[in-house]
Amino acid sequence: QSVLTQPPSASGTPGQRVTISCSGSSSNIGSNTVNWYQQLPGTAPKLLIYSNNQRPSGVPDRFSGSKSGTSASLAISGLQSEDEADYYCAAWDDSLNGHVVFGGGTKLTVL
Amino acid sequence: EVQLVQSGAEVKKPGESLKISCKGSGYSFTSYWIGWVRQMPGKGLEWMGIIYPGDSDTRYSPSFQGQVTISADKSISTAYLQWSSLKASDTAMYYCARPAVPYCGGDCSLVYWGQGTLVTVSS
């Protein structure tokens, strides 16, 4: 059971807009920033969004993030076949020693 | 160019010990935290813990405290993840990762990742 809650799957057709939600609590999303990672099959995760809504260099502006209270979401517009991947949200959790918590991941299928 | 290069795949038997490595290059190894992430077959990412090579300050996820040991040798810019007695349930891909900023807390965005080390534990 992951600390952050994501839907296990999402899907869309090419060109559509898809959103993936991530729900947490006051000790993680509620008090710290949210990051999103994309993991293509057989590869290491890649940072997609940091500090709630910032894109690292090279990430297309089709990807956007937002946060409100103890929830966050990732939006992908103009869906492309190469976006088919697993997406994970993550945040720092202030409980105990402080540690990173991940969502369970959302498998995005491009139909 | 920042790089994290991990040691190769391992096949071990239950009860055996193991130490895998993650060598950093292209940056000041002692100035950035390095974390370890587990991914069991077909499953999601799990945070294991993090170490600051500058002084070996180590923080473990509650789920992994006492189960593994994280260490670092700053003289060779290498972080380690170690088991004293492997179980079949330790079979997984293990990634090391470095945050964008030196300190990992509040915002711990992992921008650099190793290629992963696959550990298989089977009798």
Side-chain angles (χ1 to χ4, degrees):
Chain A
Q1 192 80 358
S2 302
V3 174
L4 305 182
T5 301
Q6 297 180 235
S9 63
S11 63
T13 56
Q16 265 191 335
R17 183 176 187 269
V18 170
T19 62
I20 297 172
S21 63
C22 175
S23 177
S25 68
S26 58
S27 63
N28 41 67
I29 294 179
S31 51
N32 297 298
T33 59
V34 177
N35 305 307
W36 289 89
Y37 299 90
Q38 177 193 57
Q39 188 177 32
L40 297 169
T43 69
K46 168 191 166 185
L47 182 65
L48 195 66
I49 297 287
Y50 68 97
S51 296
N52 302 327
N53 54 18
Q54 302 299 302
R55 285 185 307 277
S57 172
V59 173
D61 59 6
R62 302 185 295 105
F63 295 90
S64 62
S66 64
K67 175 186 137 175
S68 178
T70 59
S71 295
S73 63
L74 171 71
I76 310 171
S77 59
L79 200 61
Q80 299 181 2
S81 58
E82 57 261 40
D83 298 334
E84 188 158 293
D86 294 321
Y87 293 85
Y88 297 89
C89 60
W92 186 261
D93 193 300
D94 292 328
S95 64
L96 302 171
N97 236 1
H99 54 283
V100 172
V101 290
F102 286 100
T106 299
K107 181 170 180 57
L108 175 63
T109 302
V110 181
L111 302 169
Chain B
E1 178 196 6
V2 174
Q3 282 193 311
L4 297 174
V5 178
Q6 299 186 230
S7 49
E10 302 274 1
V11 179
K12 292 289 192 179
K13 290 182 166 39
E16 291 186 332
S17 62
L18 176 64
K19 193 174 190 177
I20 63 175
S21 66
C22 169
K23 183 173 176 60
S25 63
Y27 71 99
S28 174
F29 183 75
T30 55
S31 298
Y32 288 81
W33 292 79
I34 286 187
W36 287 94
V37 176
R38 182 176 80 173
Q39 187 167 37
M40 298 176 76
K43 301 299 183 183
L45 306 174
E46 299 175 272
W47 180 255
M48 301 180 74
I50 197 164
I51 187 166
Y52 186 71
D55 61 7
S56 292
D57 184 8
T58 308
R59 318 272 178 91
Y60 292 94
S61 164
S63 301
F64 291 91
Q65 179 82 48
Q67 308 304 308
V68 296
T69 301
I70 295 171
S71 61
D73 185 340
K74 58 187 179 183
S75 70
I76 54 172
S77 301
T78 301
Y80 300 98
L81 179 63
Q82 182 175 359
W83 295 260
S84 59
S85 180
L86 287 160
K87 302 184 282 286
S89 56
D90 293 318
T91 295
M93 181 72 82
Y94 294 88
Y95 294 101
C96 62
R98 202 210 83 176
V101 296
Y103 177 69
C104 204
D107 183 353
C108 189
S109 49
L110 302 169
V111 63
Y112 300 103
W113 291 73
Q115 82 277 20
T117 295
L118 181 62
V119 174
T120 303
V121 183
S122 174
S123 54

